[in-house]
Amino acid sequence: MFMTEVLGRCSALEQRVADIYRQFAGSLNDDKEVESYWLGMAEEEKHHAKVLAAEKAALEVDSDTGYFMPEFPAKLSEMDAMLKMVEEKARTGVTKEEAFDLALQLEQSELNSIYRDLVL
């Protein structure tokens, strides 16, 4: 897998995390402070998605696919599976405690490490 594909897939994963956090905000909107927190987290993840998409676009301007990154397909598949599980829970509704537990799993996941590696 080349860097442009990694960047594109990571951007999509970050967007999915943003969507999960927006769902948390929607299901926990009876507490405006908590709702605001989740909307802020969603915006941060949306920003990550945009940064990764911009990095991908910058490479593509020069028709460059970037480095070959053979270790990423497995990492991205793991992240996809984790997100599917969290998305399902978010769709069915979560308590405040469950939302924070799930977010902790996401924030400590490989996705944040990958983001740092690719962007920083």
Side-chain angles (χ1 to χ4, degrees):
M1 178 178 291
F2 287 94
M3 183 179 274
T4 51
E5 187 178 358
V6 170
L7 289 165
R9 288 193 50 197
C10 286
S11 178
L13 292 171
E14 292 280 0
Q15 184 58 55
R16 286 170 62 191
V17 174
D19 294 342
I20 289 167
Y21 290 165
R22 271 194 289 285
Q23 284 183 313
F24 288 171
S27 64
L28 300 169
N29 64 3
D30 56 325
D31 182 333
K32 293 304 175 192
E33 189 175 327
V34 171
E35 178 188 30
S36 178
Y37 172 81
W38 289 117
L39 291 173
M41 290 292 288
E43 284 303 311
E44 182 178 321
E45 298 302 327
K46 185 176 172 183
H47 175 73
H48 288 176
K50 286 180 180 180
V51 168
L52 292 165
E55 292 285 332
K56 179 180 184 265
L59 281 173
E60 290 175 335
V61 164
D62 296 327
S63 299
D64 186 359
T65 58
Y67 297 106
F68 185 69
M69 306 174 97
E71 71 279 11
F72 279 88
K75 291 179 181 183
L76 295 175
S77 291
E78 285 177 31
M79 284 306 310
D80 182 59
M82 178 185 205
L83 282 177
K84 283 179 182 173
M85 178 269 303
V86 175
E87 286 166 335
E88 181 58 33
K89 288 183 179 182
R91 264 193 295 280
T92 60
V94 293
T95 66
K96 183 168 41 172
E97 292 77 18
E98 289 170 329
F100 281 107
D101 287 342
L102 291 168
L104 184 60
Q105 290 176 40
L106 291 173
E107 295 300 319
Q108 292 178 336
S109 72
E110 190 74 27
L111 186 56
N112 280 327
S113 298
I114 293 170
Y115 177 82
R116 285 189 300 273
D117 290 346
L118 293 174
V119 175
L120 305 176

